[in-house]
Amino acid sequence: VQLVESGGGLVQTGGSLRLSCANSGYDFGDYAIGWFREAPMKGPEWISCIEPSSGTTRYASSVKGRFTTSIDYVKRVVYLQTDIVNPEDTASYYCGAAPWSYCVRGEYRYRGHGTQVTVSS
């Protein structure tokens, strides 16, 4: 199983962001795909999960309405995007794969190496 994040970088406050998580090495329907982030001096913060077989999504209350996760089934890529970032979104962003009940708890069987997002104020 391989998960590779991309799309991070330096973003201005108020700008948009789209992160990608490329998946390979397993049946795409076997696991839900989640996103979480880790900011300096803070623990992991779960953001979202999406179930590829049904398209079901769930979001953390702290980001609901501002972040959206989606899937490109042809490319096997899961996206996390927002139209408005703020400095508090500065963090390393990771995607992970796990059964749905584990994904929504932020517990992943597999995870990528992350992509850094820095939001300038």
Side-chain angles (χ1 to χ4, degrees), residues 46 97-99 101-110:
W46 174 69
S101 60
Y102 289 87
C103 184
V104 295
R105 297 201 301 262
E107 298 173 12
Y108 300 101
R109 188 166 297 177
Y110 306 99

Side-chain angles (χ1 to χ4, degrees), residues 54-116:
S54 65
T56 300
T57 58
R58 188 174 295 182
Y59 298 91
S61 57
S62 60
V63 302
K64 194 172 184 179
R66 197 162 64 88
F67 281 85
T68 302
T69 187
S70 60
I71 296 176
D72 183 323
Y73 289 91
V74 175
K75 296 180 180 178
R76 289 182 58 123
V77 173
V78 176
Y79 299 102
L80 180 71
Q81 60 187 61
T82 179
D83 290 332
I84 301 175
V85 295
N86 57 55
E88 289 70 37
D89 294 320
T90 294
S92 292
Y93 285 73
Y94 301 86
C95 61
W100 176 260
S101 60
Y102 289 87
C103 184
V104 295
R105 297 201 301 262
E107 298 173 12
Y108 300 101
R109 188 166 297 177
Y110 306 99
R111 54 179 278 179
H113 292 294
T115 185
Q116 175 67 37

